Amino acid sequence: MKLLVGLGNPGAKYAHNRHNIGFMAMDRIASDHGFSAWRNKFQGQIAEGRIGSNRITLLKPQTFMNKSGQSVGEAMRYLKLEPADVIVFHDEIDLAPGKVRLKSGGGHAGHNGLRSIHDHIGADYGRVRMGVGHPGHKDAVPGYVLRDFPKADADWLDDELRGVSDGIAHLVAGDGGKFLNAIALRVAPARSSTSTPKPKAAPRPPESPVDTRSAMQKLVDRFK
C-alpha cells in the first residue's frame, strides 16, 4: 500500500493556482489509471485503485495548505502505513517550470504544506518536487504561488502531468530514475530519427576563371 498525497487548497478559487499542482497530479493519475470516484475521508478527498502490484490511495487534503499534515497523519494512521509509504507531490519555487525532482527526508524549505506534514508524521516521507519557478523576490512568493498558471504555461504543464502519470508505476515500485525519465520524455521528447531532415543547400556553381588576356590577344585568338 502506498499513500500518494497532492498538496493544494480546496475550492474553485484555487483550482488553477501554482500552489495546486499537487492536486492536478492526483487528478491526472486517478483519471488515467481507472481509480475510484473521489470521496470525502481523512479531512480530504480520496480515490483508490491499483498501479501494478501496489494498492494505492490518492489523497487531496481539504484542510487548506498550512494544515495539510492533519489530513495526511489521519490517513497514514488509519491505513497503518509508515512515513516511508507516503509520497507527497507539491509545488517547488526553487525549480524552473517543467522541472521535477525527488527527495526523501530533510527539511521543508519553508513550504507551509510540508511544514505541517513534518509536524504530524516527521520528515521521513518521499516528495515529488514540481517546479513552478520563482517570482524573483521572497516577498512576492505568497502572491505568486496563489495565482493561476498563465496560458503560456499550459503546454508544458499538461506534458508534465502526463509524464507523472506515465511514470507513476515506476515511482511506486521504487525506481525514481525511470519515473523522472518518463516525465522528461513528455516535457522534452527526443527528436524522431524518422523526421524529415532539413534540405541541404544546393552547391554553388564553380566560378568562371578570370580572363587576363589583353584586347589584342583576345582578337588574335578569335581568328585562330
Side-chain angles (χ1 to χ4, degrees):
M1 166 72 79
K2 295 287 185 183
L3 176 63
L4 306 186
V5 181
L7 296 188
N9 288 308
K13 175 182 177 181
Y14 303 101
H16 303 291
N17 286 182
R18 293 181 176 94
H19 226 15
N20 274 44
I21 196 171
F23 277 14
M24 297 175 194
M26 296 301 100
D27 287 336
R28 173 65 70 177
I29 292 168
S31 175
D32 289 353
H33 295 274
F35 274 59
S36 67
W38 291 97
R39 61 190 177 93
N40 295 325
K41 196 169 185 178
F42 310 131
Q43 302 180 62
Q45 292 183 340
I46 68 167
E48 297 166 303
R50 282 187 174 273
I51 296 177
S53 61
N54 293 281
R55 287 191 300 128
I56 305 294
T57 296
L58 306 179
L59 173 65
K60 296 188 294 184
Q62 301 294 293
T63 54
F64 286 93
M65 183 69 78
N66 61 359
K67 294 184 179 179
S68 299
Q70 294 178 3
S71 175
V72 176
E74 183 178 335
M76 192 187 80
R77 289 188 295 272
Y78 181 89
L79 297 170
K80 297 181 172 58
L81 301 177
E82 298 296 324
D85 300 316
V86 178
I87 304 174
V88 177
F89 294 67
H90 66 91
D91 59 306
E92 176 58 75
I93 60 171
D94 291 329
L95 288 176
K99 298 293 184 182
V100 178
R101 296 290 182 268
L102 301 177
K103 183 178 180 180
S104 181
H108 52 67
H111 190 290
N112 287 335
L114 299 183
R115 188 197 309 273
S116 178
I117 295 172
H118 273 51
D119 290 343
H120 285 267
I121 72 170
D124 297 327
Y125 57 92
R127 284 160 246 178
V128 178
R129 305 165 61 215
M130 305 181 72
V132 297
H134 198 288
H137 194 282
K138 66 179 182 178
D139 292 342
V141 168
Y144 176 77
V145 297
L146 291 174
R147 285 198 294 271
D148 288 357
F149 282 103
K151 290 182 179 180
D153 287 354
D155 287 344
W156 73 255
L157 179 59
D158 185 62
D159 286 342
E160 181 179 300
L161 294 173
R162 289 177 184 274
V164 165
S165 181
D166 291 346
I168 194 63
H170 298 303
L171 183 64
V172 298
D175 195 331
K178 287 185 177 179
F179 169 71
L180 294 176
N181 188 57
I183 298 171
L185 288 174
R186 284 282 190 179
V187 176
R191 182 174 297 173
S192 171
S193 60
T194 61
S195 58
T196 305
K198 291 183 178 180
K200 293 182 179 179
R204 294 176 63 182
E207 295 182 2
S208 301
V210 177
D211 192 342
T212 58
R213 295 174 299 166
S214 66
M216 181 59 72
Q217 186 63 50
K218 288 179 182 178
L219 184 61
V220 171
D221 291 342
R222 184 178 176 184
F223 291 100
K224 278 184 177 180

Short mmCIF file of all heavy atoms in Angstrom, two decimals, residues 10-58:
data_model
loop_
_atom_site.label_atom_id
_atom_site.label_comp_id
_atom_site.label_asym_id
_atom_site.label_seq_id
_atom_site.Cartn_x
_atom_site.Cartn_y
_atom_site.Cartn_z
N PRO A 10 -8.44 23.78 -1.26
CA PRO A 10 -9.73 23.36 -1.79
C PRO A 10 -10.53 24.52 -2.38
O PRO A 10 -10.36 25.67 -1.97
CB PRO A 10 -10.44 22.78 -0.56
CG PRO A 10 -9.87 23.57 0.59
CD PRO A 10 -8.43 23.81 0.22
N GLY A 11 -11.41 24.21 -3.34
CA GLY A 11 -12.31 25.21 -3.89
C GLY A 11 -11.91 25.68 -5.26
O GLY A 11 -10.73 25.71 -5.62
N ALA A 12 -12.93 26.10 -6.03
CA ALA A 12 -12.71 26.54 -7.41
C ALA A 12 -11.79 27.75 -7.50
O ALA A 12 -11.06 27.92 -8.48
CB ALA A 12 -14.06 26.86 -8.06
N LYS A 13 -11.79 28.59 -6.47
CA LYS A 13 -10.97 29.80 -6.47
C LYS A 13 -9.49 29.48 -6.63
O LYS A 13 -8.72 30.26 -7.22
CB LYS A 13 -11.20 30.57 -5.17
CG LYS A 13 -10.32 31.80 -4.98
CD LYS A 13 -10.60 32.46 -3.64
CE LYS A 13 -9.68 33.64 -3.40
NZ LYS A 13 -9.93 34.28 -2.08
N TYR A 14 -9.07 28.33 -6.09
CA TYR A 14 -7.65 27.98 -6.09
C TYR A 14 -7.28 26.90 -7.09
O TYR A 14 -6.10 26.55 -7.22
CB TYR A 14 -7.25 27.49 -4.69
CG TYR A 14 -7.52 28.47 -3.59
CD1 TYR A 14 -8.65 28.33 -2.76
CD2 TYR A 14 -6.68 29.55 -3.35
CE1 TYR A 14 -8.91 29.24 -1.73
CE2 TYR A 14 -6.93 30.47 -2.33
CZ TYR A 14 -8.05 30.31 -1.53
OH TYR A 14 -8.31 31.21 -0.54
N ALA A 15 -8.26 26.36 -7.80
CA ALA A 15 -8.06 25.15 -8.58
C ALA A 15 -6.91 25.22 -9.58
O ALA A 15 -6.22 24.22 -9.81
CB ALA A 15 -9.35 24.79 -9.31
N HIS A 16 -6.68 26.39 -10.18
CA HIS A 16 -5.64 26.51 -11.21
C HIS A 16 -4.41 27.26 -10.73
O HIS A 16 -3.56 27.66 -11.53
CB HIS A 16 -6.23 27.19 -12.45
CG HIS A 16 -7.42 26.47 -13.00
ND1 HIS A 16 -7.34 25.23 -13.61
CD2 HIS A 16 -8.75 26.80 -13.02
CE1 HIS A 16 -8.53 24.84 -13.99
NE2 HIS A 16 -9.41 25.77 -13.63
N ASN A 17 -4.30 27.45 -9.41
CA ASN A 17 -3.12 28.12 -8.83
C ASN A 17 -1.86 27.27 -8.98
O ASN A 17 -1.93 26.03 -9.01
CB ASN A 17 -3.32 28.37 -7.34
CG ASN A 17 -4.27 29.50 -7.00
OD1 ASN A 17 -4.46 29.80 -5.83
ND2 ASN A 17 -4.89 30.13 -7.99
N ARG A 18 -0.71 27.91 -9.01
CA ARG A 18 0.56 27.18 -8.99
C ARG A 18 0.66 26.30 -7.74
O ARG A 18 1.22 25.20 -7.79
CB ARG A 18 1.73 28.17 -9.04
CG ARG A 18 1.86 28.95 -10.34
CD ARG A 18 3.05 29.88 -10.27
NE ARG A 18 3.28 30.60 -11.53
CZ ARG A 18 2.80 31.81 -11.79
NH1 ARG A 18 2.04 32.45 -10.88
NH2 ARG A 18 3.05 32.40 -12.94
N HIS A 19 0.13 26.79 -6.63
CA HIS A 19 0.17 26.06 -5.36
C HIS A 19 -0.59 24.74 -5.43
O HIS A 19 -0.41 23.87 -4.57
CB HIS A 19 -0.43 26.94 -4.26
CG HIS A 19 0.37 27.00 -2.99
ND1 HIS A 19 1.68 26.58 -2.88
CD2 HIS A 19 0.01 27.43 -1.74
CE1 HIS A 19 2.09 26.76 -1.63
NE2 HIS A 19 1.10 27.26 -0.93
N ASN A 20 -1.46 24.58 -6.44
CA ASN A 20 -2.32 23.40 -6.53
C ASN A 20 -1.83 22.36 -7.52
O ASN A 20 -2.57 21.46 -7.90
CB ASN A 20 -3.75 23.82 -6.90
CG ASN A 20 -4.58 24.19 -5.69
OD1 ASN A 20 -4.09 24.89 -4.80
ND2 ASN A 20 -5.81 23.74 -5.64
N ILE A 21 -0.57 22.44 -7.91
CA ILE A 21 -0.07 21.48 -8.90
C ILE A 21 -0.11 20.06 -8.36
O ILE A 21 -0.26 19.09 -9.11
CB ILE A 21 1.36 21.88 -9.36
CG1 ILE A 21 1.72 21.13 -10.65
CG2 ILE A 21 2.38 21.64 -8.26
CD1 ILE A 21 3.01 21.61 -11.30
N GLY A 22 -0.03 19.90 -7.03
CA GLY A 22 -0.14 18.56 -6.43
C GLY A 22 -1.53 17.97 -6.62
O GLY A 22 -1.67 16.77 -6.94
N PHE A 23 -2.57 18.78 -6.43
CA PHE A 23 -3.94 18.33 -6.71
C PHE A 23 -4.07 17.92 -8.18
O PHE A 23 -4.70 16.90 -8.51
CB PHE A 23 -4.94 19.47 -6.44
CG PHE A 23 -5.36 19.62 -5.00
CD1 PHE A 23 -4.68 19.00 -3.96
CD2 PHE A 23 -6.46 20.41 -4.68
CE1 PHE A 23 -5.09 19.15 -2.64
CE2 PHE A 23 -6.88 20.58 -3.37
CZ PHE A 23 -6.19 19.95 -2.35
N MET A 24 -3.48 18.72 -9.08
CA MET A 24 -3.57 18.42 -10.51
C MET A 24 -2.94 17.06 -10.83
O MET A 24 -3.47 16.30 -11.65
CB MET A 24 -2.88 19.52 -11.31
CG MET A 24 -3.51 20.90 -11.17
SD MET A 24 -2.52 22.17 -12.04
CE MET A 24 -3.22 23.67 -11.34
N ALA A 25 -1.82 16.77 -10.18
CA ALA A 25 -1.15 15.48 -10.41
C ALA A 25 -2.03 14.32 -9.95
O ALA A 25 -2.13 13.29 -10.63
CB ALA A 25 0.19 15.46 -9.68
N MET A 26 -2.69 14.47 -8.79
CA MET A 26 -3.58 13.41 -8.31
C MET A 26 -4.74 13.19 -9.26
O MET A 26 -5.13 12.05 -9.54
CB MET A 26 -4.10 13.76 -6.91
CG MET A 26 -3.05 13.86 -5.82
SD MET A 26 -2.08 12.34 -5.55
CE MET A 26 -0.57 12.75 -6.47
N ASP A 27 -5.31 14.27 -9.76
CA ASP A 27 -6.44 14.16 -10.69
C ASP A 27 -6.03 13.43 -11.96
O ASP A 27 -6.78 12.60 -12.50
CB ASP A 27 -6.99 15.54 -11.03
CG ASP A 27 -7.78 16.17 -9.88
OD1 ASP A 27 -8.29 15.42 -9.02
OD2 ASP A 27 -7.87 17.41 -9.84
N ARG A 28 -4.83 13.73 -12.46
CA ARG A 28 -4.37 13.08 -13.69
C ARG A 28 -4.15 11.58 -13.46
O ARG A 28 -4.55 10.74 -14.28
CB ARG A 28 -3.07 13.73 -14.16
CG ARG A 28 -2.40 13.03 -15.34
CD ARG A 28 -3.23 13.10 -16.60
NE ARG A 28 -3.25 14.46 -17.12
CZ ARG A 28 -3.85 14.82 -18.25
NH1 ARG A 28 -4.49 13.91 -18.97
NH2 ARG A 28 -3.84 16.06 -18.65
N ILE A 29 -3.50 11.23 -12.35
CA ILE A 29 -3.26 9.82 -12.05
C ILE A 29 -4.58 9.06 -11.91
O ILE A 29 -4.76 7.97 -12.46
CB ILE A 29 -2.42 9.68 -10.77
CG1 ILE A 29 -1.00 10.22 -11.00
CG2 ILE A 29 -2.35 8.21 -10.30
CD1 ILE A 29 -0.18 10.39 -9.73
N ALA A 30 -5.52 9.63 -11.15
CA ALA A 30 -6.81 8.98 -10.94
C ALA A 30 -7.54 8.75 -12.26
O ALA A 30 -8.11 7.67 -12.49
CB ALA A 30 -7.67 9.82 -9.99
N SER A 31 -7.51 9.75 -13.12
CA SER A 31 -8.22 9.66 -14.40
C SER A 31 -7.58 8.63 -15.33
O SER A 31 -8.27 7.81 -15.94
CB SER A 31 -8.23 11.03 -15.07
OG SER A 31 -8.80 10.97 -16.36
N ASP A 32 -6.26 8.65 -15.43
CA ASP A 32 -5.56 7.77 -16.38
C ASP A 32 -5.51 6.32 -15.94
O ASP A 32 -5.40 5.42 -16.79
CB ASP A 32 -4.13 8.27 -16.60
CG ASP A 32 -4.06 9.56 -17.40
OD1 ASP A 32 -5.11 10.00 -17.91
OD2 ASP A 32 -2.95 10.13 -17.50
N HIS A 33 -5.58 6.06 -14.64
CA HIS A 33 -5.37 4.69 -14.13
C HIS A 33 -6.63 4.06 -13.56
O HIS A 33 -6.55 3.05 -12.86
CB HIS A 33 -4.23 4.70 -13.11
CG HIS A 33 -2.90 5.06 -13.70
ND1 HIS A 33 -2.06 4.13 -14.29
CD2 HIS A 33 -2.28 6.26 -13.85
CE1 HIS A 33 -0.98 4.74 -14.75
NE2 HIS A 33 -1.09 6.03 -14.49
N GLY A 34 -7.78 4.62 -13.89
CA GLY A 34 -9.04 3.98 -13.55
C GLY A 34 -9.33 3.88 -12.06
O GLY A 34 -9.87 2.87 -11.60
N PHE A 35 -8.98 4.90 -11.30
CA PHE A 35 -9.24 4.89 -9.86
C PHE A 35 -10.73 5.12 -9.58
O PHE A 35 -11.49 5.54 -10.46
CB PHE A 35 -8.41 5.97 -9.17
CG PHE A 35 -7.03 5.52 -8.79
CD1 PHE A 35 -6.14 5.06 -9.76
CD2 PHE A 35 -6.61 5.55 -7.47
CE1 PHE A 35 -4.88 4.63 -9.42
CE2 PHE A 35 -5.34 5.12 -7.12
CZ PHE A 35 -4.46 4.66 -8.09
N SER A 36 -11.12 4.84 -8.34
CA SER A 36 -12.50 5.07 -7.92
C SER A 36 -12.81 6.56 -7.98
O SER A 36 -11.92 7.41 -8.08
CB SER A 36 -12.69 4.57 -6.48
OG SER A 36 -11.93 5.38 -5.58
N ALA A 37 -14.11 6.87 -7.89
CA ALA A 37 -14.51 8.27 -7.80
C ALA A 37 -13.98 8.87 -6.51
O ALA A 37 -13.79 8.16 -5.50
CB ALA A 37 -16.03 8.37 -7.85
N TRP A 38 -13.74 10.16 -6.51
CA TRP A 38 -13.28 10.84 -5.31
C TRP A 38 -14.39 10.86 -4.26
O TRP A 38 -15.56 11.06 -4.59
CB TRP A 38 -12.86 12.28 -5.64
CG TRP A 38 -11.62 12.37 -6.47
CD1 TRP A 38 -11.56 12.53 -7.83
CD2 TRP A 38 -10.28 12.28 -6.01
NE1 TRP A 38 -10.26 12.56 -8.25
CE2 TRP A 38 -9.43 12.40 -7.16
CE3 TRP A 38 -9.69 12.11 -4.77
CZ2 TRP A 38 -8.05 12.36 -7.08
CZ3 TRP A 38 -8.30 12.06 -4.68
CH2 TRP A 38 -7.50 12.17 -5.82
N ARG A 39 -14.02 10.64 -3.00
CA ARG A 39 -14.98 10.71 -1.90
C ARG A 39 -14.31 11.35 -0.68
O ARG A 39 -13.07 11.37 -0.59
CB ARG A 39 -15.53 9.34 -1.54
CG ARG A 39 -14.49 8.31 -1.07
CD ARG A 39 -15.11 6.92 -0.99
NE ARG A 39 -14.14 5.90 -0.61
CZ ARG A 39 -13.92 5.50 0.64
NH1 ARG A 39 -14.61 6.04 1.65
NH2 ARG A 39 -13.02 4.57 0.90
N ASN A 40 -15.09 11.86 0.22
CA ASN A 40 -14.57 12.56 1.39
C ASN A 40 -14.14 11.59 2.49
O ASN A 40 -14.92 10.72 2.89
CB ASN A 40 -15.62 13.53 1.93
CG ASN A 40 -15.95 14.64 0.95
OD1 ASN A 40 -15.07 15.11 0.22
ND2 ASN A 40 -17.19 15.06 0.92
N LYS A 41 -12.92 11.73 2.96
CA LYS A 41 -12.41 10.93 4.07
C LYS A 41 -11.08 11.52 4.52
O LYS A 41 -10.37 12.14 3.72
CB LYS A 41 -12.22 9.47 3.65
CG LYS A 41 -12.06 8.50 4.82
CD LYS A 41 -12.16 7.05 4.36
CE LYS A 41 -12.14 6.11 5.57
NZ LYS A 41 -12.28 4.69 5.16
N PHE A 42 -10.74 11.34 5.77
CA PHE A 42 -9.46 11.81 6.33
C PHE A 42 -9.28 13.32 6.18
O PHE A 42 -8.18 13.79 5.91
CB PHE A 42 -8.27 11.10 5.68
CG PHE A 42 -8.37 9.60 5.63
CD1 PHE A 42 -8.12 8.90 4.45
CD2 PHE A 42 -8.72 8.87 6.76
CE1 PHE A 42 -8.19 7.53 4.40
CE2 PHE A 42 -8.80 7.48 6.71
CZ PHE A 42 -8.53 6.81 5.53
N GLN A 43 -10.35 14.08 6.35
CA GLN A 43 -10.30 15.54 6.17
C GLN A 43 -9.80 15.91 4.78
O GLN A 43 -9.14 16.93 4.58
CB GLN A 43 -9.41 16.19 7.23
CG GLN A 43 -9.82 15.92 8.67
CD GLN A 43 -8.89 16.58 9.66
OE1 GLN A 43 -8.78 17.81 9.69
NE2 GLN A 43 -8.20 15.79 10.46
N GLY A 44 -10.10 15.06 3.83
CA GLY A 44 -9.67 15.30 2.46
C GLY A 44 -10.54 14.55 1.49
O GLY A 44 -11.62 14.06 1.85
N GLN A 45 -10.09 14.44 0.26
CA GLN A 45 -10.74 13.63 -0.76
C GLN A 45 -9.80 12.51 -1.14
O GLN A 45 -8.60 12.74 -1.34
CB GLN A 45 -11.09 14.47 -1.99
CG GLN A 45 -12.16 15.51 -1.74
CD GLN A 45 -12.52 16.27 -2.99
OE1 GLN A 45 -11.75 16.31 -3.96
NE2 GLN A 45 -13.69 16.89 -3.00
N ILE A 46 -10.34 11.29 -1.22
CA ILE A 46 -9.50 10.15 -1.58
C ILE A 46 -10.08 9.44 -2.80
O ILE A 46 -11.28 9.49 -3.08
CB ILE A 46 -9.34 9.14 -0.42
CG1 ILE A 46 -10.67 8.44 -0.12
CG2 ILE A 46 -8.77 9.82 0.81
CD1 ILE A 46 -10.52 7.22 0.79
N ALA A 47 -9.18 8.79 -3.53
CA ALA A 47 -9.55 7.88 -4.61
C ALA A 47 -8.66 6.65 -4.46
O ALA A 47 -7.49 6.77 -4.07
CB ALA A 47 -9.36 8.53 -5.98
N GLU A 48 -9.20 5.48 -4.76
CA GLU A 48 -8.47 4.23 -4.53
C GLU A 48 -8.35 3.43 -5.81
O GLU A 48 -9.22 3.47 -6.67
CB GLU A 48 -9.18 3.40 -3.45
CG GLU A 48 -9.22 4.11 -2.11
CD GLU A 48 -10.21 3.49 -1.14
OE1 GLU A 48 -11.42 3.40 -1.50
OE2 GLU A 48 -9.80 3.11 -0.03
N GLY A 49 -7.23 2.70 -5.92
CA GLY A 49 -7.02 1.87 -7.10
C GLY A 49 -5.73 1.08 -6.97
O GLY A 49 -5.13 0.99 -5.89
N ARG A 50 -5.32 0.53 -8.09
CA ARG A 50 -4.06 -0.23 -8.15
C ARG A 50 -3.18 0.30 -9.27
O ARG A 50 -3.67 0.69 -10.33
CB ARG A 50 -4.33 -1.72 -8.40
CG ARG A 50 -4.80 -2.48 -7.17
CD ARG A 50 -4.89 -3.98 -7.44
NE ARG A 50 -5.20 -4.73 -6.23
CZ ARG A 50 -4.30 -5.16 -5.35
NH1 ARG A 50 -3.01 -4.95 -5.58
NH2 ARG A 50 -4.66 -5.82 -4.27
N ILE A 51 -1.90 0.30 -9.00
CA ILE A 51 -0.91 0.61 -10.02
C ILE A 51 0.13 -0.51 -9.96
O ILE A 51 0.84 -0.65 -8.97
CB ILE A 51 -0.25 1.98 -9.79
CG1 ILE A 51 -1.29 3.10 -9.92
CG2 ILE A 51 0.88 2.20 -10.79
CD1 ILE A 51 -0.75 4.48 -9.63
N GLY A 52 0.16 -1.34 -10.99
CA GLY A 52 0.99 -2.53 -10.93
C GLY A 52 0.48 -3.45 -9.84
O GLY A 52 -0.72 -3.72 -9.73
N SER A 53 1.38 -3.90 -8.99
CA SER A 53 1.00 -4.79 -7.88
C SER A 53 0.71 -4.03 -6.60
O SER A 53 0.44 -4.63 -5.56
CB SER A 53 2.12 -5.81 -7.62
OG SER A 53 3.33 -5.14 -7.27
N ASN A 54 0.74 -2.70 -6.66
CA ASN A 54 0.58 -1.88 -5.47
C ASN A 54 -0.84 -1.35 -5.32
O ASN A 54 -1.41 -0.81 -6.28
CB ASN A 54 1.55 -0.69 -5.51
CG ASN A 54 2.99 -1.11 -5.41
OD1 ASN A 54 3.49 -1.40 -4.33
ND2 ASN A 54 3.67 -1.15 -6.54
N ARG A 55 -1.40 -1.48 -4.12
CA ARG A 55 -2.65 -0.80 -3.81
C ARG A 55 -2.33 0.64 -3.46
O ARG A 55 -1.40 0.92 -2.70
CB ARG A 55 -3.35 -1.48 -2.62
CG ARG A 55 -3.96 -2.83 -2.97
CD ARG A 55 -4.87 -3.34 -1.85
NE ARG A 55 -4.14 -3.51 -0.60
CZ ARG A 55 -4.52 -3.00 0.57
NH1 ARG A 55 -5.61 -2.25 0.67
NH2 ARG A 55 -3.80 -3.24 1.66
N ILE A 56 -3.08 1.56 -4.03
CA ILE A 56 -2.77 2.98 -3.90
C ILE A 56 -3.98 3.74 -3.39
O ILE A 56 -5.11 3.53 -3.87
CB ILE A 56 -2.35 3.59 -5.26
CG1 ILE A 56 -1.18 2.81 -5.87
CG2 ILE A 56 -2.02 5.07 -5.11
CD1 ILE A 56 0.12 2.90 -5.10
N THR A 57 -3.74 4.63 -2.42
CA THR A 57 -4.75 5.61 -2.03
C THR A 57 -4.21 6.99 -2.41
O THR A 57 -3.09 7.34 -2.02
CB THR A 57 -5.04 5.57 -0.53
OG1 THR A 57 -5.63 4.30 -0.20
CG2 THR A 57 -6.02 6.67 -0.12
N LEU A 58 -4.98 7.72 -3.19
CA LEU A 58 -4.65 9.11 -3.52
C LEU A 58 -5.38 10.01 -2.54
O LEU A 58 -6.54 9.78 -2.23
CB LEU A 58 -5.09 9.45 -4.95
CG LEU A 58 -4.60 8.54 -6.08
CD1 LEU A 58 -5.16 9.02 -7.41
CD2 LEU A 58 -3.08 8.49 -6.12
#
